[in-house]
Amino acid sequence: MLTKQDWDWLAVCSHYQTAVTVQTLLKEGKSMEATEGLESLIEAMGRNDRRALKSQLIRLMVHVIKWKCQPQKRCSSWAISILSARREIDDIQEEVPSLNRDFIESIWDKCFQAAVQEAETEMRKVKCFLTSISWFEVFEEEYILSDEQDDF
């Protein structure tokens, strides 16, 4: 019999193996133990989805911050990274509707602080003058290079 700790460890290590173990237990008629396994699996998968969304949000914010703080260094790869991160976030939200705007707003400030640190490191410690960033700037504003900007 697997303990809660065993299930949690298994679910973190392998979603597939957890599902196979749950399936085996169900076939053996051990529904209570299988239920514990499913709960651990659901928790682990939810953590992964939240972590993925948070990672993409930080990536998105980093590129928006760099775009705003270093206009002379704008390049197409920054614009592509912004579009890509937005698409990844949309995909995550499509698969997990609970990771909606309310969830994003609940992690916004923490992600912004992490993004500022990353952006300053990428900008070689150029101090970021932004104290906040809006939903519009992150998710709706268009970031495209003008004809005058060199694209490296």
Side-chain angles (χ1 to χ4, degrees):
M1 181 166 170
L2 294 171
T3 66
K4 168 83 169 120
Q5 187 175 9
D6 293 335
W7 277 118
D8 289 346
W9 181 84
L10 182 59
V12 167
C13 292
S14 172
H15 295 162
Y16 175 77
Q17 190 58 49
T18 304
V20 168
T21 303
V22 166
Q23 181 183 39
T24 300
L25 290 169
L26 287 172
K27 287 178 180 177
E28 294 172 358
K30 299 177 181 175
S31 61
M32 292 296 285
E33 193 173 353
T35 299
E36 289 176 27
L38 281 175
E39 288 171 359
S40 292
L41 180 59
I42 290 166
E43 288 173 23
M45 292 173 77
R47 279 191 303 274
N48 285 349
D49 292 334
R50 289 188 300 275
R51 204 172 307 131
L53 189 141
K54 183 177 176 184
S55 175
Q56 291 300 328
L57 180 59
I58 291 169
R59 182 170 76 106
L60 173 54
M61 287 178 163
V62 164
H63 285 88
V64 170
I65 290 166
K66 291 186 337 183
W67 190 277
K68 293 188 174 297
C69 291
Q70 291 188 314
Q72 73 283 3
K73 292 192 174 187
R74 291 176 182 166
C75 60
S76 62
S77 68
W78 291 0
I80 291 167
S81 290
I82 289 168
L83 291 172
S84 172
R86 285 175 175 173
R87 187 175 48 254
E88 291 291 330
I89 290 169
D90 285 343
D91 289 348
I92 292 167
Q93 289 178 313
E94 188 175 305
E95 291 177 22
V96 187
S98 63
L99 299 180
N100 55 24
R101 184 173 179 152
D102 289 340
F103 173 77
I104 291 173
E105 287 176 351
S106 76
I107 62 171
W108 191 269
D109 292 338
K110 188 174 183 177
C111 289
F112 176 72
Q113 293 307 318
V116 167
Q117 288 179 329
E118 285 186 30
E120 286 179 346
T121 299
E122 285 187 33
M123 295 185 300
R124 295 198 164 89
K125 295 294 183 184
V126 170
K127 191 72 176 152
C128 175
F129 60 83
L130 299 173
T131 57
S132 66
I133 196 165
S134 72
W135 185 273
F136 176 81
E137 291 171 302
V138 173
F139 286 106
E140 298 168 19
E141 189 170 326
E142 285 191 41
Y143 296 96
I144 49 176
L145 294 172
S146 67
D147 291 336
E148 302 89 50
Q149 291 174 304
D150 289 335
D151 188 8
F152 299 98

